[in-house]
Amino acid sequence: MIHSPINPLMAQFLAEGEEILAGIGAQVMVLENRPADAAAMNELFRLVHTFKGNSGLFDLPDMTRVLHAAEDLLDAVRHGRLALQRDHVDRLLAAMDFVGGLCAELASEGAVSPRHAGEAGERAQELRALLAGEESGSAEAAALPGQVAIDLPEDVLVLAAQHAGPLHFLRYRPDPDCFFRGDDPFHTARLTPGLVWRRIVGSETLGDIATLDPYACVLGFEMVSEAPLAELEEHFRYARDQLVMAPIAPPTSPQVETDAGADRAVLGQVLEAQRRVVEAGEAGPWRAGALEAVVAVLGNVAHLLDDPAEDLAGAATAAQAGDTAALLALIARLGKRLGRRREDRVQETGEGTAVAASAQNRSLRVDQAKIDRLMGLIGEMVVARNALPFLAARAETVYGNREMAREIKAQHAVINRVTEDMQDAIMQIRMMPVASVFQRFPRLVRDVARKLGKSVELVLEGEDTEADKAIVEALADPLVHIVRNSLDHGLEAPDERRTAGKPETARLTIRAHQEGDRIVVAIVDDGRGIDPDRIRAKAVENGLIEAGAAQALGDADAIQLIFAPGFSTAEAVSDLSGRGVGMDAVRSAIHALHGEVELSSTKGVGTRLRLTLPLSMAVTRVLVLEAAGQLFAMPVDMVIETTRLSPEALHGIKTERTILRRDRVLPIRDLNALLGIPRPARIDANGEQSLLVARLGDTVVGLVVDGFRETLDVIQKPLTGVLAGIPAYSGTTLMGDGAVLMVLNPRMLL
Amino acid sequence: MPIRLMKTRAAFEGVVTVEEADALLAWVNENPRRRIDLSRCTHVHPASLQVLLAARAPIAALPADPDLAAWLAPLLSSN
């Protein structure tokens, strides 16, 4: 195979493939729960069919082979010849995983290595075996081939797709000795009712004329018929065992929909052409003929659009006399009618198709790098905007022009509004529903639950809740960890649940919703809950905490120990969870997104994890503060209040300095000390210091700083190079006057 | 006789039955370059058809019968 760089067509194929595979997974899960869901079945078939078709555009025989087998299997299911069972679902999913693997290889290597051929064969064979195994059960089904219609020529398939009404493909292979029974199979074939296409096959196996036995029938007959199945059965009643018959995809297939749409587009062009001819208006010997042609075309178009067009004759006469107004009006009316029909069509078709069609028309696939660039530009715009107040101040103080300063400020207000709208717009572009992450869970939960022998019902809620793409994507791994943990440790096996008086099927709910400018994802299970005593014991055993300290912890605090690095309750490391990296990793991942994790659990009743994340990481509102003559920024959502600290309020507990504030003991830290600056914070004329009260997760800390400045909306740039290793900063941004502002990450500061 | 076997060509007429296959085979074997005229043929038994196909006998004319022509044309056009 040629190693070629990925071309745009291939890139599109891969992008679509990803979506299709996700869709296939989703539909399979729907079908497993509701096998009779015809809409899901059709959608699933359509997806596999489309994917197979797409894969045929490239030299991907392995992929096409597996998809083809899957398509045949689904076709059998769709037509009720086969009931979808767990086994089928397993193999289908495994086959799709294999295809997904091929896609991944294609994306990274630019080609698929031929070594997959063996596995592809096995997968396809597995799927076909399901088909064959099931169908050999009944006599009628035995005649149905797994691989019917594959070798039909392309033009026949196109013909079939355009044909109104159901079609059947027939392959008639007479017995070799049928001539001796007085049969004329060709005659039988010729008299088949409703033939729309036919051919004779097998002539290539005749061999040489010298050795020919003309009385051994080797010819076969392949036909496509529009006759009803019963009539065909009747016609071939004496040769039923020599005949295979299969329905050809009904003309309601999406391809035909597209064709209809294309037809309408063509009709639109036709109408437009007529309008131009009429409007051309040049007198000539051919004018009368041209108008006649236009009238004839319009008559046909009107007929197609169910328009009686009673005024056509009158308009034609008027046009021949030189007045084309009526004819043009008629064309306009037909055009409108065509447009309306097109809309009707979209509304009539199933919801799914309509959505797909409109999504296809309205959405634009854009490389993320382009969006990022736009984002960067808006970031610079924000910096430039932030410079205007400085400019206004300079106009007033340096150049003494107050008028000018006011005008600059007015202009700043306008630019401010526009940049805010721009920020909002770009954030909207980057928003995507959490469904893209949620959709993997039905499959995951199903697979893991089966492996563990547990029965679990997964409930997904709020899948259309949107958040920034980066946030949604980064949610995936932590969620997988959490769900696996819940399945592995949280939910009990069916008999244990029965003993506990719970329904055998456990319930796992993943729920997303928006709360202000945060997105909240809750993972709730009705399992055995977390036993605080067991956690205490394990934490002591793992050396994470002293025995005494563990006993002193309240139950609610004790269960938080599962977030401690190195904590593990599992007796054995399974491939699911239990390596002691789970919850610690989850918490760091969520913290990295400026999010929070809350855990609550009631023993015997269930566990609830609540992840709170910002909707977007694009724009951060920060409070600019001063420390040791430098400016730093602190995200505003961490700031509870800014206040003054007088020395009398300070209490010393051991080496810790604290104050009592709003009935809480607040530990006091020096920002300078935390940043390693050997200079005490500024003390003002009243002997007071500036104090920033910040919330870091569950704890609240007072930070002593030199002073406060304004708040700013900034787009943070991540630290790169050697600076990237300094966790005390979450990023940098530019001030309006061009100064670099370091954004503190207070969580890592302490 | 539905087939008139001549020196340079064979003319098929009406329904060619299974009986003709032997004679046709012998005739074709004598000289495989002889041409076949199917224009007045309305049906041909597959045994005879197999002879025509195996012999790759050149076709002088396809059947006038549209249905038979539709069946045979793609096959015989390569003869």
Side-chain angles (χ1 to χ4, degrees), chain B:
Chain B
M1 181 106 178
I3 306 185
R4 285 190 291 132
L5 300 170
M6 294 167 275
K7 259 190 192 152
T8 58
R9 64 186 187 106
F12 285 40
E13 267 180 51
V15 176
V16 175
T17 64
V18 69
E19 320 291 339
E20 273 79 43
D22 254 344
L24 184 63
L25 181 62
W27 180 80
V28 169
N29 272 333
E30 276 175 41
N31 179 356
R33 306 187 51 179
R34 289 168 157 172
R35 290 146 63 84
I36 312 289
D37 180 353
L38 294 169
S39 53
R40 302 177 66 181
C41 178
T42 53
H43 182 72
V44 52
H45 189 277
S48 298
L49 183 59
Q50 291 188 143
V51 174
L52 289 187
L53 292 171
R56 302 187 171 279
I59 302 299
L62 281 171
D65 180 319
D67 180 57
L68 186 61
W71 280 95
L72 297 183
L75 278 177
L76 296 175
S77 56
S78 61
N79 275 23

Side-chain angles (χ1 to χ4, degrees), chain A residues 579-590:
Chain A
R579 290 192 197 85
V581 291
M583 296 315 285
D584 168 36
V586 165
R587 191 162 67 166
S588 344
I590 299 295

Side-chain angles (χ1 to χ4, degrees), chain A residues 537-561:
Chain A
K538 277 288 172 185
V540 173
E541 193 180 301
N542 292 348
L544 299 171
I545 189 170
E546 298 289 322
Q551 290 314 313
L553 282 177
D555 284 355
D557 290 329
I559 59 173
Q560 309 299 330
L561 285 168

